[in-house]
Amino acid sequence: MTTPLLEVENLTKYFTLNDDIVSRIAGKSRTLKAVDDISFSINAGETLGLVGESGCGKSTTGRLITRLIEPTSGAIRIGGEDLLAFDRPRMMAARKQMQLVFQDPYSSLNPRKTIMQILGRPLEIHEPATSWRDRRERVLELLNLVGLGREHIDRYPHEFSGGQRQRIAIARALAVNPALVIGDEPVSALDVSVQAQILNLFRELQERLQLTYLFIAHDLSVIRHISDRVAVMYVGKIVETGPVSDIFAAPLHPYTRALMAAVPEADPDMPAPKLMLQGEVATPIDPPPGCRLCRRCPIATPNCETDPPPLREVAPAHFVACHNL
Amino acid sequence: MMGNTPQGGIENIVADTALSIQDLTVRFHLKRGILTAVDHISFDIARGETFGLVGESGSGKTVTARAIMRLLPTPPAEIASGRVVLDDQSVYDLSSEELRAIRGRKIAMVFQEPMSALNPVFTVGAQMTDVLRTNLKMSRAEARERAVELLQLVGIPSAGSRLGSYVHEFSGGMRQRVMLAMALSCNPGFLIADEPTTALDVTIQATILELIDSMIHRLGMSLLFITHNLGVVAHSCDRIGVMYASHLVETGTTRAIFANPQHPYTVGLLESIPRLADQKRYLTPIPGTVCNMLEPPQGCKFHPRCPHAMDVCREQAPPLREVAPGHLAACHLHAMATV
C-alpha cells in the first residue's frame, strides 16, 4: 500500500474560553472543542470533501493542517513526515507543498499590490534565487493556467470581478507547485454561473497538475460534484466518511441523512426539503461525553449520551460513527 | 390564473391582484455616474400567491423589494418611471402618514440579516410590543400577550420568558423566527422575504422555509420571495421571475421555468448548478461575467454572454413577450419564432 499524501490522526483543537485568572480560580473556564479527535487521510491525486454546517470545525481543520493554528494534540503527516515535529525553517519548506485558497477573494488579496506582486510573492519567499525576469515569466504562465490574460499582470485586485479574483487566489496557491491544495469554501462567495466556472477550473487543474485537494464546503451539491471521498463533520467530530457515491446514494448516519434531506434541489419535481432533526445544532462548548447528535437524533438510545460512538467500517472504506446502525 | 376567476372578467383579475409593479425603473445617482438598478420591470402577484424573484448578486432583486416598501433613500435613488400598486393604492402617491399606516399592517418585510435588522440594545419583547402599541394601539398588557402568542406561532420555545432576551442571545435561526414574528405582528396581507435563509445552514434553512410556508398558508398572505438560490424557489413558490442586470428576463409558473426555460440566461443558470442527483465531471457555466452596471452594453444586457446572440441583440433590448400562456421571456429568439 502506498503512503497517503496527507494523514491526519486524532487531530484535536480545544480553545479555552474565559481563560483569565479570575475565571480559572472560580472554575469558570470552559472548553470549546472545535475539532475533537478526528482522523482521515488523502491519497495523492484525490479530492476529499469536508462538509458540515457552520461551527462544525471544518475550517479549523484546514488551518490546523497548514499549522496556521497549532493543534492541541494529534498528528499530521505529509508524505509520511510528521509536520508537528518540524521547526520553523522546515515548516516553511513544508508549506510549499500545501497551499490554501480562501473563501472571500475580496479580503484575501492585498488591494495595494498588483497581480505581479501578489503572484510573485510566494516565488520570492520560496524560490529566492529566481530573477525578476523569470518570476514574471512564471506569473504569466500562472495567469494563463487559471484562464486570465497577459494584460492582467499589472492590474490591481479591484479591477477584477469576484470570479476573476478567485482565479488569482488559485494562481497564487499554485505558484509554488504545491502537492496539496486546501480550499476553504473557495466557491461559496460566488454566484452560481461563476461558481461553475471555478469548479471546472479546480477540476481541470487537478487533471493537468495531478493535484490533491482538501475541499472544505457547506454546500452538499458542490461537495458531491468535486469530491472523490467525503467526510461529514458535526460539532467537531467526523460522523461519516466514505466514497462520494456511497455517501450520497446511501447516507447512513442520522446527521448525514438529515443534512441531505434538507437540501432544496433546483427541481420542483424532486422532494421538497424535509426536516429530520429537532432543535438546533449542539454547542461545542463543554459538549456531553457521548454522541454530539444524541439530543436531536431520532434513533438515539440511552448509551448515546454517555459513550462516544467510534467510526466503524460498514462497507469497504465507508465509516460511520453511530451506536445504532 | 385566468382559470381561477369564475366570472373571468377583467375586474376580477384586477381585484385579485395583491401587488402590481408597473414599468418600474430605479436609478441611483452616484459619484461615478448613473446606475440603473431596476429597468422598466412589470409583474403582478395575485392574492395568496407566492412569487419568487431570483437572480445573481447585483441583478436588482433587493432594490425592487425596497422600492415596493418605499425604503430607498431619495437621493441617491430615483424612481425614474413606473408605479407600485398595493391593494389598489399607489405606494408612491401616499403621504408619509398613509405610508406608515401601510407598512407593517398591509405589507411587511423580512430581511437577510436579522442581526442588523433588529435592534441590539432593546429586548425582543420591547421591540415587538412597541410595534403593536404604535400600530394597533394596544395596551401594554395586550401587546405583551400578543407578542407571546406571535413568538409561539413561529415556534420559539418558552416564548414568555424569551421576551426579555436580547437579539444576540438567540441563534441565527431563532433570530429569523423573531423577525418573522415581528413582520407578522400586525397581520399584513403581503410579505416580502429578502433572502431570509441565505445566512443560515441548510438544516435551519429547511425549518425557516417550512415555517414561512405554513404561515403564508395559515394566514392567507401573498409572498414575494427574493433569493439567489434556485433550489429554494423550486419548492416554495408558485411563480418565478428571473432578473438579470436590472431587467426582468423571464416570468412563468415554477414548473414552466424549471421544465421549459425560455431565456438563454435562465437556461444557463439552471445548467450551471451542480446537482445532487446527476454526476457530470464538468459543469456547464455561463461564460464571462455580469456586465458593469455603470456602463452596461447596448441592447440585451445578456448578449455578451449569450450563446445565441444575434446582431439585433447588440442594438435593441428585447421586450417581455408571452411565449406560452402565462410564460413570458425577453429574448429576440422568440420574436423570430412568432413573426
Side-chain angles (χ1 to χ4, degrees), chain B residues 1-15:
Chain B
M1 215 169 66
M2 300 273 268
N4 295 340
T5 53
Q7 289 87 14
I10 189 98
E11 289 81 9
N12 272 314
I13 296 171
V14 175

Side-chain angles (χ1 to χ4, degrees), chain B residues 217-239:
Chain B
H217 287 110
R218 233 158 100 183
L219 308 173
M221 290 191 288
S222 321
L223 173 70
L224 173 60
F225 196 107
I226 291 171
T227 179
H228 70 284
N229 187 331
L230 286 158
V232 168
V233 282
H235 299 285
S236 51
C237 295
D238 303 325
R239 283 199 307 135

Side-chain angles (χ1 to χ4, degrees), chain B residues 309-339:
Chain B
M310 304 171 286
D311 287 341
V312 60
C313 307
R314 294 178 191 99
E315 288 145 24
Q316 284 171 33
L320 267 178
R321 283 192 195 87
E322 191 154 45
V323 290
H327 191 166
L328 286 77
C331 179
H332 287 301
L333 287 175
H334 298 291
M336 311 279 287
T338 47
V339 166

Side-chain angles (χ1 to χ4, degrees), chain B residues 67-287:
Chain B
I68 294 169
M69 293 286 284
R70 243 175 102 175
L71 285 174
L72 295 170
T74 47
E78 177 210 355
I79 307 298
S81 80
R83 303 206 306 156
V84 175
V85 182
L86 179 75
D87 283 339
D88 301 328
Q89 278 181 300
S90 173
V91 172
Y92 281 86
D93 293 335
L94 300 176
S95 67
S96 48
E97 270 105 284
E98 288 170 317
L99 187 64
R100 255 205 308 277
I102 280 192
R103 285 188 189 148
R105 274 186 268 178
K106 278 196 166 177
I107 186 163
M109 191 159 171
V110 174
F111 299 88
Q112 176 176 349
E113 288 286 340
M115 201 59 201
S116 46
L118 296 169
N119 195 326
V121 300
F122 289 105
T123 62
V124 162
Q127 293 180 64
M128 291 187 74
T129 50
D130 192 29
V131 174
L132 292 163
R133 294 184 66 197
T134 322
N135 276 351
L136 303 180
K137 310 277 178 273
M138 282 184 174
S139 71
R140 204 177 285 269
E142 281 170 341
R144 202 192 135 80
E145 201 176 309
R146 174 82 177 129
V148 173
E149 228 175 81
L150 283 161
L151 290 182
Q152 280 166 348
L153 187 73
V154 296
I156 291 185
S158 46
S161 60
R162 293 317 298 265
L163 278 185
S165 304
Y166 291 89
V167 182
H168 73 265
E169 299 175 77
F170 289 87
S171 67
M174 284 294 157
R175 276 176 207 151
Q176 206 52 286
R177 283 172 197 263
V178 170
M179 193 125 92
L180 190 63
M182 284 186 76
L184 299 177
S185 60
C186 305
N187 299 313
F190 199 98
L191 183 69
I192 300 178
D194 187 2
E195 303 265 13
T197 60
T198 306
L200 306 174
D201 280 318
V202 271
T203 55
I204 310 298
Q205 167 172 281
T207 64
I208 298 294
L209 289 177
E210 205 172 82
L211 179 66
I212 292 178
D213 197 57
S214 78
M215 290 296 119
I216 293 292
H217 287 110
R218 233 158 100 183
L219 308 173
M221 290 191 288
S222 321
L223 173 70
L224 173 60
F225 196 107
I226 291 171
T227 179
H228 70 284
N229 187 331
L230 286 158
V232 168
V233 282
H235 299 285
S236 51
C237 295
D238 303 325
R239 283 199 307 135
I240 292 176
V242 182
M243 286 191 79
Y244 182 77
S246 78
H247 285 266
L248 187 66
V249 296
E250 185 163 1
T251 68
T253 61
T254 303
R255 195 154 291 277
I257 298 270
F258 279 92
N260 196 13
Q262 292 296 316
H263 194 281
Y265 173 65
T266 317
V267 174
L269 205 55
L270 288 169
E271 278 181 354
S272 60
I273 320 172
R275 292 174 190 264
L276 284 184
D278 68 343
Q279 209 36 4
K280 295 184 285 188
R281 231 176 134 59
Y282 282 93
L283 297 164
T284 319
I286 301 177

